[in-house]
Amino acid sequence: MTLTVTAAAPSSPTPPTPGRVRNPRRVLPGFNLALGYTVLYLSLIVLLPMSALVLKTFTLTWEQFVHAVSSPRVVASYQLTFGAAFVASAVNAVFGLLVAWVLVRYRFPGKKLIDALVDLPFALPTAVAGISLTALLADNGWVGTLLAPHGIHLAFNRNGVVIALIFIGLPFVVRTVQPVLEDTERELEEAASSLGATRWQTFRYVIFPAIAPALLTGFSMAFARALGEYGSVIFIAGNMPMVSEITPLIIIGKLEQYDYAGATAVAVMLLIFSFVLLLFINALQAWQRRRSGAR
Amino acid sequence: MNQTTQIRRSARAGTTEPVWVRVLLITMALAFIFLFLLLPLAAVFTEALRQGLGAYWNALQEPDAWSAIRLTLITAAVAVPLNLVFGVAAAWCVAKFEFRGKALLITLIDLPFSVSPVVAGLIYVLVFGAQGWLGPWLQAHDIKIVFAVPGIILATVFVTFPFIARELIPLMQSQGTDEEQAAIVLGASGWQTFWHVTLPNIKWGLIYGVILCNARAMGEFGAVSVVSGHIRGQTNTMPLHVEILYNEYQSVAAFAVASLLALLALVTLLIKSVVEWRFEREENAAAQLPPEKPLYSGTTP
């Protein structure tokens, strides 16, 4: 980056000439270079390759596209992916809130360690998480040996998919709820209690509404991540067609058969789901900002 | 005196829970963390050492394991600096300037986060693969990108794309432009301003972003799996090597390589926590400085 010095002329009082809006704050140098580089790099790494995906889809006729994205095996994979992602995110919403609550409100030995450990799913490669969970839950694993005699099998079926997605999604909920919980005003809780509310009522009507947007955001982020997750799931799922085969694996399977068009069609479906979720999350965050700004 | 303690105690009772509820909640949270985080982490190391240290060392001295480690290091060594330069450039223009289309730019920077890793790999196959846009041209010039190292690096750059920018943008936005403007008005060059004013202010955010980016770059599986072609000893990164060993029922070897990645994760968490504590301490120290000496090095309190 070669940042050349522009003349140090702080906000000139002259009105901007029509047609060329000058930014009065533009005292700092390097804007054109930084923006130019950002847009170029973004285009090369993200936008151009993504447009290749869209263009590839247009080589299919509508019938071919519909056929590729709605064959029974693919539809079964959507059901599994969405269902497992939903269940896992719901579990994470409950336990993530619990963990965030305990970390913010209570003091206990080893708290800092637990706080740091919450980010483990972000830092641990997904493949490692996948084989490790499989080793634990397989019928001869630490947990599997305890459960197998009772007829509970958590690996190589749909249960395994849910468990892997719980592991992957936990930090999203904790890390979105935690800061909001830290910022809630204790005065409101004191007021509620002095007005005669029980502790549960205070939580239900004062604290929970304040953190609900963050909780929903965390849930959606975990859900969005779970939809696309691949590495941790494939080891534990067993990957039986129609039963425990996730959508990203369908894409891989089609690629391995050199069915690029089919893979692209399913990928586009997955992308559309993700984008709808992304818009939803953005709206949620705007809601959260409005709500915290209004207080 | 006695009355005030009583009032204080009843006030506290209104904003916290009875002891048994607290103990119950803490126990449930710890049990969840133990089952879902600690147990899998412990399993990696015990599985790796199942047949003793000797087997563990032998597994790590396989030439294929070494080439996987080397490729992972190379990939991260290219991808992280690329995204670092991008992150700083993006944060500089987004945080320090106003321009039209800024919200769109931020959304586009976040885009790779909402793309499945498998789809991320697929898009590069569609551009550079044999049937792709540039496929015929690349084949004519004998350049291999997909199913070779450049493809692995590109896919890694894609999935780690937003990490550093995303850490820096909110940090630099909260710091504003006053200090940089002062430096420029006092005659510093743009480069000097960046180096001596901006960089010290964002150093913790920068380290934070870099270690998270690095962890993901070294651990990425889905995207790299699509573009790698799984050529043993050539295009296998560590996570891919783990998969191959695991599928060949070489459990100890698979977990031995996995244990290195788990160690990387632990080191990442350690550095991350240290950075957070340092940042917090500097913030608190800055908050306690008298207003006439605003020597803060973090966000404005």
Side-chain angles (χ1 to χ4, degrees), chain B residues 161-191:
Chain B
F161 186 84
F163 274 88
I164 296 171
R166 204 180 221 204
E167 285 305 324
L168 290 184
I169 288 172
L171 181 65
M172 281 167 74
Q173 270 175 336
S174 70
Q175 287 170 349
T177 56
D178 295 352
E179 290 185 45
E180 280 85 359
Q181 285 186 2
I184 296 284
V185 170
L186 290 172
S189 72
W191 185 239

Side-chain angles (χ1 to χ4, degrees), chain A residues 33 57 273:
Chain A
L33 183 72
T57 323
F273 297 142

Side-chain angles (χ1 to χ4, degrees), chain A residues 51-226:
Chain A
S51 61
L53 187 76
V54 177
L55 286 180
K56 182 78 182 174
T57 323
F58 286 128
T59 62
L60 289 160
T61 65
W62 179 245
E63 283 76 26
Q64 283 172 317
F65 181 82
V66 169
H67 178 73
V69 300
S70 64
S71 70
R73 192 169 157 186
V74 178
V75 171
S77 87
Y78 298 147
Q79 283 167 350
L80 171 67
T81 304
F82 273 86
F86 186 84
V87 174
S89 314
V91 171
N92 273 331
V94 173
F95 283 93
L97 174 61
L98 176 69
V99 170
W101 178 269
V102 164
L103 285 176
V104 171
R105 293 296 174 107
Y106 304 146
R107 273 193 287 180
F108 54 92
K111 180 169 144 172
K112 275 197 164 168
L113 202 66
I114 300 292
D115 197 5
L117 200 63
V118 166
D119 282 326
L120 181 71
F122 282 157
L124 193 70
T126 51
V128 177
I131 62 168
S132 168
L133 287 170
T134 311
L136 278 176
L137 298 175
D139 286 349
N140 58 357
W142 288 349
V143 178
T145 39
L146 300 177
L147 298 176
H150 305 285
I152 304 171
H153 302 281
L154 295 181
F156 310 119
N157 53 29
R158 292 177 168 198
N159 299 335
V161 179
V162 173
I163 287 171
L165 295 180
I166 292 176
F167 177 86
I168 292 300
L170 177 70
F172 288 97
V173 177
V174 178
R175 292 302 184 225
T176 42
V177 173
Q178 207 176 5
V180 180
L181 209 50
E182 270 164 6
D183 287 347
T184 53
E185 290 167 64
R186 290 294 183 101
E187 288 83 354
L188 289 177
E189 293 170 43
E190 282 167 21
S193 109
S194 66
L195 291 170
T198 64
R199 190 62 190 149
W200 171 250
Q201 284 173 324
T202 310
F203 177 80
R204 173 70 188 78
Y205 296 108
V206 177
I207 304 174
F208 189 76
I211 58 173
L215 190 61
L216 203 54
T217 308
F219 171 86
S220 320
M221 285 164 90
F223 187 78
R225 172 70 201 265

Side-chain angles (χ1 to χ4, degrees), chain B residues 80-153:
Chain B
V80 176
L82 278 177
N83 284 337
L84 174 64
V85 173
F86 161 74
V88 172
W92 182 261
C93 60
V94 166
K96 304 288 182 188
F97 300 92
E98 292 301 325
F99 55 94
R100 219 175 286 167
K102 193 155 121 175
L104 177 70
L105 184 65
I106 296 175
T107 309
L108 289 178
I109 289 173
D110 274 347
L111 194 65
F113 271 155
S114 53
V115 174
S116 169
V118 170
V119 179
L122 172 68
I123 60 177
Y124 287 104
V125 174
L126 291 180
V127 175
F128 299 110
Q131 300 182 350
W133 273 0
L134 300 175
W137 187 86
L138 289 171
Q139 261 177 345
H141 292 78
D142 204 23
I143 305 171
K144 274 194 82 95
I145 292 191
V146 169
F147 309 133
V149 176
I152 291 175
I153 292 175

Side-chain angles (χ1 to χ4, degrees), chain A residues 224-262:
Chain A
R225 172 70 201 265
L227 282 189
E229 178 56 25
Y230 175 71
S232 58
V233 175
I234 53 157
F235 294 100
I236 201 168
N239 304 327
M240 284 169 284
M242 305 296 295
V243 178
S244 61
E245 195 179 36
I246 53 168
T247 309
L249 187 65
I250 295 266
I251 298 175
I252 299 263
K254 285 186 184 288
L255 273 179
E256 277 168 0
Q257 294 159 10
Y258 302 102
D259 178 9
Y260 288 100

